[in-house]
């Protein structure tokens, strides 16, 4: 009578137990590592999305405040009161463009204060 099926059975049991042992010693570590990498990616993505969202909200709020205060209109009125010759000289040195950059940077800087870890 051939009893090779018994040795095959125990060989398969041994392979199964060896597979479980290998998974317990190295597979769990790799699984947990992959899960932690995935969670880190998700958290970093969520962090940047929330930073962008906060920046958009802050910029919109500061822009509305500046529009309500009429800062731009007041600067334009004050600039138009300057005599023509002086305005030509200021235009030659590109002062109006510099003022535009400065007055657009101020609300941006205020909006940056609403961003966590940047606008301290």
């Amino acid at each position: 009578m051939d009893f090779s099926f018994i040795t095959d059975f125990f060989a398969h049991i041994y392979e199964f137990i060896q597979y479980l042992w290998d998974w317990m010693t190295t597979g769990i570590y790799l699984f947990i590592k992959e899960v932690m990498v995935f969670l880190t990616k998700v958290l970093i993505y969520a962090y940047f999305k929330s930073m962008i969202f906060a920046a958009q909200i802050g910029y919109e709020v500061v822009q509305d405040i500046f529009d309500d205060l009429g800062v731009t209109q007041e600067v334009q009125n004050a600039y138009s009161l300057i005599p023509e010759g002086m305005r030509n000289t200021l235009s030659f040195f590109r002062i109006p463009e510099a003022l535009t950059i400065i007055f657009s940077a101020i609300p941006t800087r205020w909006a940056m204060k609403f961003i966590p870890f940047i606008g301290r």
Side-chain angles (χ1 to χ4, degrees):
M1 193 161 180
D2 186 25
F3 291 108
S4 63
F5 69 92
I6 294 175
T7 58
D8 289 341
F9 174 74
F10 284 117
H12 289 299
I13 292 292
Y14 174 76
E15 288 175 13
F16 178 72
I17 291 173
Q18 185 64 45
Y19 172 75
L20 283 177
W21 181 257
D22 290 342
W23 188 78
M24 295 283 283
T25 56
T26 59
I28 290 177
Y29 168 75
L30 294 175
F31 175 73
I32 290 175
K33 181 181 167 190
E34 288 181 22
V35 167
M36 295 301 278
V37 167
F38 176 74
L39 288 177
T40 304
K41 287 179 183 179
V42 167
L43 289 174
I44 289 171
Y45 179 74
Y47 173 76
F48 283 123
K49 289 291 275 187
S50 64
M51 295 281 281
I52 291 170
F53 182 70
Q56 289 172 344
I57 290 173
Y59 186 76
E60 188 173 327
V61 166
V62 171
Q63 209 53 32
D64 287 346
I65 290 172
F66 263 65
D67 290 343
D68 290 344
L69 292 176
V71 174
T72 307
Q73 188 65 13
E74 290 296 324
V75 171
Q76 288 175 351
N77 290 340
Y79 188 75
S80 66
L81 293 176
I82 297 174
E84 183 69 29
M86 181 62 77
R87 271 191 290 175
N88 290 337
T89 305
L90 292 174
S91 294
F92 176 76
F93 290 110
R94 303 182 65 91
I95 299 298
E97 289 87 357
L99 290 175
T100 303
I101 292 171
I102 290 170
F103 283 111
S104 66
I106 291 171
T108 304
R109 183 169 183 256
W110 281 5
M112 298 277 291
K113 290 183 181 187
F114 289 102
I115 300 173
F117 304 114
I118 292 176
R120 295 180 184 186

